[in-house]
Amino acid sequence: NAPHGQAPLMPNPSLRIAIADDERDIRDFLKKVLPLLGHSVVVAAADGDELVAACAAEPPDLIITDLKMPKRDGLSALEEIWRTSPVPAIVISAHPEQLTRGPWAGSPWVSLLIKPVRMSELEPAIILALEKSRGAGSPIAPESPLPNDSV
């Protein structure tokens, strides 16, 4: 049951989800849990470069990415992906203050999950990410350049 005055969380249709985390344990956890929630993991990248390349080849419905990764961090990878494909994202981090103060703070395209991620948190986070981005327009305005100082 939903709290008084709030609509119940509705189940999502099956989504094609790209995940990226440099920690194998987190990738393995997400690859195991997301299908149990009815979703498919179409990309399991170890860094931001792998995420960008895989999403260019096959754009997902949702991206779940770590913030800090080698080669390219999660937000920099999202900026690149969003140039061609507006995809809602959940950023996972042990250091959420880096996202709440960065250039994407308050963005309807980015939701946050704090590590350690629990299975019970995933589906509500997915629903929230999709709801926040619905009707939000482009995550990157074509007339404005991307920030140079990515987190």
Side-chain angles (χ1 to χ4, degrees):
N1 287 340
H4 180 70
Q6 293 183 3
L9 294 176
M10 300 304 294
N12 275 320
S14 181
L15 298 173
R16 298 169 53 259
I17 301 177
I19 62 172
D21 199 299
D22 58 321
E23 295 178 50
R24 179 180 293 279
D25 291 347
I26 303 259
R27 288 193 314 272
D28 290 346
F29 170 77
L30 292 171
K31 287 192 297 188
K32 178 181 176 184
V33 169
L34 289 168
L36 295 175
L37 297 173
H39 307 294
S40 59
V41 176
V42 295
V43 172
D47 61 57
D49 285 344
E50 286 182 26
L51 179 64
V52 169
C55 289
E58 187 176 353
D61 301 317
L62 177 73
I63 297 169
I64 300 176
T65 183
D66 189 15
L67 180 60
K68 293 284 190 179
M69 293 184 288
K71 297 184 184 177
R72 183 186 290 212
D73 66 56
L75 290 180
S76 173
L78 288 174
E79 290 172 347
E80 183 68 25
I81 292 163
W82 286 338
R83 290 179 191 273
T84 58
S85 181
V87 180
I90 297 171
V91 175
I92 55 177
S93 179
H95 307 285
E97 67 280 357
Q98 295 171 337
L99 182 64
T100 58
R101 288 186 256 155
W104 301 107
S107 169
W109 289 94
V110 178
S111 295
L112 176 66
L113 266 179
I114 300 170
K115 288 182 178 181
V117 176
R118 292 172 183 81
M119 182 176 174
S120 61
E121 298 170 331
L122 277 172
E123 193 65 15
I126 291 168
I127 292 168
L128 179 62
L130 295 175
E131 288 296 320
K132 280 176 59 177
S133 66
R134 187 169 290 135
S138 174
I140 298 174
E143 65 278 357
S144 65
L146 292 174
N148 290 329
D149 55 350
S150 298
V151 175

